[in-house]
């Protein structure tokens, strides 16, 4: 795959049927490949994290302000452990899974067993930091651990917005295609419009195959052409970590004096690893002493 094809990622924010529903359509092939490379993800881990990152990038685009952020994580009790995604309002995301290298057997139909790897005995939690005193927290029990269905459940139960969610990652040696679609019914949606969307649902379900064949605009025409789509915004679902040295320095300071003294006297330095991008920040004994000064004040 050339870089040119990988770089066709994008998010379309759409109005359907004159505003009776809204939709987000995403091609996220490059973003999911970047997550796979960053964490050396197994195929099933690529599919699981890729689906959640793709969903989170669209949910990020639903946020109102640039400084807002959204965290979505799943604890399903499966061998992958926690699947974590953090998104910003520009569609950029970062994330991780606890166990990136597990590779369970394929399902009987030859597909990756995402639900089995994530687990079905647990919850999906969504935290929105909207710059207010308290973040918004919504939580639902998992339906299948396949992630798309679980996010749909979240929108319906926790945000009272009936939604259809399809997320897909096709992965061979590399990520072949990845994408997602969220359709949300607006309160004034007519019965006829609702029926059109429901009847179309089966063709939305193999979204990664759609993106294997079509670019973003082609996929919009293919999937939503009959629902009068109107593009009202665009964004890019890039994999991007915003960590920096200062943030980890503040983290070390917050450990407190005793802990810092232990690092200085016993370890003679510290190494801190970022879960989201795997960058390592090293602090020498001298640098830790400077942080200790700040902790004392
Ligand atoms: Zn980082």
């Amino acid at each position: 795959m050339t870089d040119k094809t990988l770089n066709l990622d994008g998010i379309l924010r759409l109005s359907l049927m004159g505003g009776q529903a809204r939709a987000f359509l995403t091609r996220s092939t490059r973003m999911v490949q970047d997550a796979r490379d960053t964490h050396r993800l197994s195929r099933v881990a690529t599919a699981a994290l890729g689906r959640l990152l793709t969903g989170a990038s669209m949910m990020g685009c639903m946020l109102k302000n640039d400084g807002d952020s959204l965290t979505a994580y799943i604890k399903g009790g499966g061998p992958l452990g926690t699947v974590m995604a953090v998104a910003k309002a520009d569609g950029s995301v970062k994330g991780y899974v606890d166990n990136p290298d597990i590779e369970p057997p394929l399902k009987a139909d030859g597909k990756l067993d995402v639900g089995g790897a994530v687990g079905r005995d647990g919850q999906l939690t969504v935290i929105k930091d909207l710059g207010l005193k308290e973040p918004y927290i919504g939580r639902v029990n998992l339906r299948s651990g396949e992630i798309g269905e679980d996010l749909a459940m979240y929108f319906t139960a926790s945000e009272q917005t009936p939604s259809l969610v399809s997320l897909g990652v096709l992965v061979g040696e590399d990520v072949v295609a990845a994408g997602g679609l969220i359709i949300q019914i607006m309160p004034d949606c007519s019965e006829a419009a609702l029926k059109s969307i429901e009847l179309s649902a089966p063709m939305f379900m193999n979204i990664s195959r759609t993106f294997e064949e079509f670019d973003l605009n082609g996929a919009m025409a293919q999937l939503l052409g009959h629902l009068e789509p109107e593009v009202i915004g665009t964004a890019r679902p890039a994999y991007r970590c915003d960590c920096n040295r200062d943030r980890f320095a503040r983290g070390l300071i917050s450990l407190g004096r005793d802990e810092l003294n232990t690092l200085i006297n016993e370890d003679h330095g510290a190494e801190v690893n970022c879960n989201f991008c795997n960058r390592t920040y090293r602090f020498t004994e001298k640098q830790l002493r400077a942080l200790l000064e700040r902790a004392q004040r």
Side-chain angles (χ1 to χ4, degrees):
M1 196 183 303
T2 65
D3 236 36
K4 200 164 163 249
T5 47
L6 281 170
N7 267 323
L8 295 171
D9 280 7
I11 300 175
L12 297 178
R13 176 200 289 265
L14 302 155
S15 164
L16 302 179
M17 298 173 296
Q20 297 187 73
R22 71 170 181 173
F24 294 83
L25 179 65
T26 302
R27 182 191 189 275
S28 56
T29 308
R30 175 58 181 265
M31 180 262 276
V32 177
Q33 180 66 47
D34 286 346
R36 178 170 164 89
D37 293 343
T38 300
H39 295 295
R40 298 171 191 273
L41 299 170
S42 69
R43 291 177 68 210
V44 78
T46 303
L49 183 59
R51 287 182 193 178
L52 188 62
L53 288 171
T54 299
S57 70
M58 291 186 275
M59 293 167 80
C61 292
M62 296 174 192
L63 298 168
K64 296 225 162 44
N65 303 307
D66 284 349
D68 295 350
S69 71
L70 175 139
T71 300
Y73 66 89
I74 295 176
K75 286 180 188 289
L80 277 179
T82 299
V83 186
M84 165 72 73
V86 179
K88 293 189 169 180
D90 64 1
S92 66
V93 289
K94 58 182 181 178
Y96 62 82
V97 294
D98 281 347
N99 303 308
D101 49 9
I102 67 133
E103 197 72 272
L106 299 176
K107 292 195 286 194
D109 61 3
K111 292 190 169 172
L112 294 167
D113 188 5
V114 175
V118 170
R120 297 170 182 89
D121 183 21
Q123 292 172 318
L124 160 72
T125 303
V126 175
I127 303 169
K128 289 191 219 173
D129 185 349
L130 309 175
L132 307 170
K133 207 168 174 192
E134 299 288 335
Y136 161 90
I137 301 177
R139 189 168 281 148
V140 291
N141 290 327
L142 295 177
R143 281 178 78 97
S144 64
E146 296 280 341
I147 301 176
E149 216 183 331
D150 304 303
L151 278 179
M153 187 66 200
Y154 161 78
F155 283 121
T156 304
S158 199
E159 296 198 0
Q160 286 80 46
T161 308
S163 304
L164 192 152
V165 181
S166 174
L167 304 169
V169 175
L170 191 60
V171 48
E173 280 300 304
D174 283 311
V175 177
V176 178
L181 172 66
I182 298 177
I183 298 179
Q184 301 194 304
I185 308 301
M186 295 293 108
D188 59 354
C189 185
S190 70
E191 279 296 319
L194 189 60
K195 195 102 202 150
S196 314
I197 293 170
E198 280 171 358
L199 285 173
S200 318
M203 64 190 252
F204 300 147
M205 288 306 138
N206 217 336
I207 190 107
S208 57
R209 291 282 177 196
T210 305
F211 279 113
E212 190 183 15
E213 200 174 337
F214 298 98
D215 65 8
L216 196 51
N217 285 314
M220 178 181 76
Q222 178 73 13
L223 298 175
L224 305 170
H226 61 299
L227 300 174
E228 305 158 48
E230 188 189 336
V231 178
I232 51 178
T234 60
R236 268 190 86 79
Y239 191 92
R240 193 183 304 138
C241 187
D242 54 355
C243 71
N244 56 51
R245 193 176 171 79
D246 196 47
R247 181 179 298 183
F248 284 96
R250 287 200 300 274
L252 285 167
I253 291 169
S254 71
L255 291 175
R257 294 190 57 189
D258 289 352
E259 196 73 25
L260 277 170
N261 270 317
T262 307
L263 289 172
I264 291 164
N265 297 323
E266 291 179 16
D267 300 342
H268 307 289
E271 277 192 4
V272 203
N273 192 51
C274 176
N275 284 334
F276 293 101
C277 67
N278 284 325
R279 209 171 291 157
T280 301
Y281 293 90
R282 290 185 180 80
F283 293 84
T284 63
E285 192 175 332
K286 191 176 163 204
Q287 287 166 333
L288 288 176
R289 285 191 194 285
L291 297 182
L292 186 66
E293 287 287 312
R294 286 164 68 186
Q296 281 169 331
R297 266 184 259 131

